[in-house]
Amino acid sequence: MSNNASVFYSSGLAIQAIGIPLKRWLATALDALLALVAVLLILFVYDFETALNDFLSLVNVWAGPFAAVWITDGVLRRWQYDAHAIHTSDASSRYWGLGGVNVRGIAAMACGVGTGLLTINSPLLHSWLSARLGGTDLSWFLPIVVSGAVYAVLAGRRVRGEVRAG
């Protein structure tokens, strides 16, 4: 319980950080409720080990592309971010994007997730392309490469321009 208190408090902050307008205690309570539902489903509806293996086999599909976009953005910027602008949560920030969303990042991540779904061979999901490749699972590697490359192409010029503008 003591470990989860800090985890839920932090995840409540993450809910606020992505723009969901909830008070901190309500965001934390919402996250705790969602976690409770997930735990009850796993304990009483699914086998825990199967649920865990299925979840872990699908993490590559979204986590790799997410990390690739983040790392590519950092590399393009030479890890130089405007400390004030990155914490400004309105249209005056250079990092605001379109309505607060980095559309290029979302597009690159979507390309990576799509690649992951096309190349996965896991206990839960077997893609047709993986089957054509003899059961080869490329979802641990290829989505990362695709997302990073797509983000570099879509956002590279703009991001490097922001770095030069200072």
Side-chain angles (χ1 to χ4, degrees), residues 8-9 11-13 15-16 20-34:
F8 285 130
Y9 191 71
S11 65
L13 176 62
I15 288 172
Q16 289 179 315
I20 298 175
L22 294 175
K23 293 184 181 200
R24 184 80 175 265
W25 70 269
L26 191 55
T28 302
L30 174 66
D31 195 30
L33 179 66
L34 292 172

Side-chain angles (χ1 to χ4, degrees), residues 60-61 64-70 72 104-119 129 138-155:
N60 289 336
V61 171
F66 175 84
V69 169
W70 180 72
T72 304
R104 292 170 181 90
I106 296 293
M109 189 170 164
C111 289
V113 168
T115 302
L117 292 173
L118 285 173
T119 60
L129 184 56
L138 299 174
S139 68
W140 63 274
F141 171 71
L142 203 53
I144 296 168
V145 173
V146 168
S147 286
V150 169
Y151 188 72
V153 168
L154 293 178

